[in-house]
């Protein structure tokens, strides 16, 4: 059974996954490998529906592993993905309030996220609200990471 980290962008999924297991699986990186291009370019070329189908295929494979998995923030958009996640008993939602996440995303110059670049703060807040219910729907555990540093989060999850 995989240990799946869920949450909005800026929640620390990749950082925490790396802290739990240096050999963690990054779902977005695996999808980009399979596509042979960036997710952003694939979205523009083939559309969201085609992307979500491939995302579901990769998620299915990852759930069959015993590894730590860092998901993309949008993995919960698809009903199929939420159904797949509900079959996994170790889904951890790294939850933080919107303001905290927005500050983290704004400060992260190394990872310029298209969703952040192409939407206003208000639009992002709406996306965050919508996804929050879906994260909670599939989570077996919710950890509020708003006031925790990465070391504290990793320690809490061990």
């Amino acid at each position: 059974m995989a240990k799946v980290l869920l949450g909005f962008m800026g929640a620390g999924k990749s950082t925490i996954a790396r802290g739990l297991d240096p050999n963690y699986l990054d779902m977005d990186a695996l999808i980009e490998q399979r596509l042979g291009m960036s997710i952003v370019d694939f979205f523009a070329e083939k559309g969201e529906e085609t992307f979500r189908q491939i995302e579901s295929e990769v998620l299915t494979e990852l759930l069959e592993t015993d590894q730590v998995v860092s998901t993309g923030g949008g993995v919960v958009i698809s009903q199929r993905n939420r159904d797949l996640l509900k079959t996994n008993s170790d889904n951890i939602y790294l939850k933080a309030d919107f303001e905290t996440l927005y500050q983290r995303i704004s400060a992260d110059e190394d990872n310029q996220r298209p969703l952040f670049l192409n939407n206003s703060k208000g639009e992002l807040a709406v996306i965050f609200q919508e996804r929050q219910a879906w994260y909670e729907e599939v989570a077996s555990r919710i950890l509020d990471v708003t006031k925790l540093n990465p070391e504290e989060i990793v320690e809490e999850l061990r």
Side-chain angles (χ1 to χ4, degrees):
M1 162 193 58
K3 180 185 286 290
V4 178
L5 301 181
L6 302 161
F8 201 67
M9 58 183 155
K13 298 178 297 291
S14 296
T15 301
I16 303 312
R18 192 176 305 109
L20 290 170
D21 180 358
N23 298 315
Y24 79 99
L25 300 173
D26 182 302
M27 189 170 173
D28 283 348
L30 292 169
I31 290 171
E32 287 184 341
Q33 238 175 11
R34 184 166 296 184
L35 299 175
M37 66 174 77
S38 74
I39 291 172
V40 175
D41 291 344
F42 187 85
F43 240 81
E45 200 175 296
K46 306 275 188 185
E48 183 174 2
E49 189 176 328
T50 306
F51 170 77
R52 295 293 170 206
Q53 290 171 346
I54 293 164
E55 183 184 54
S56 293
E57 291 168 13
V58 172
L59 179 61
T60 300
E61 293 165 18
L62 292 175
L63 292 177
E64 293 171 3
T65 72
D66 286 333
Q67 293 195 253
V68 174
V69 175
S70 171
T71 61
V75 71
V76 294
I77 290 171
S78 153
Q79 180 66 55
R80 180 172 177 212
N81 288 351
R82 292 196 306 275
D83 291 342
L84 286 167
L85 285 162
K86 287 176 191 173
T87 68
N88 190 63
S89 62
D90 200 6
N91 299 324
I92 302 157
Y93 171 28
L94 302 177
K95 183 177 184 170
D97 64 81
F98 179 74
E99 276 307 316
T100 299
L101 295 171
Y102 191 81
Q103 293 309 315
R104 289 180 187 172
I105 298 162
S106 300
D108 187 356
E109 294 174 9
D110 295 334
N111 189 3
Q112 292 296 297
R113 299 162 168 93
L115 198 63
F116 172 72
L117 297 173
N118 299 329
N119 289 280
S120 69
K121 185 175 181 180
E123 290 166 330
L124 274 178
V126 170
I127 294 167
F128 169 78
Q129 288 300 331
E130 181 179 55
R131 290 184 184 179
Q132 191 168 305
W134 291 330
Y135 295 132
E136 291 176 1
E137 175 187 330
V138 299
S140 52
R141 180 171 180 190
I142 298 172
L143 180 60
D144 188 334
V145 298
T146 304
K147 293 182 170 67
L148 301 175
N149 67 41
E151 294 77 21
E152 292 168 325
I153 296 166
V154 168
E155 192 58 38
E156 178 73 28
L157 294 177
R158 282 213 162 112

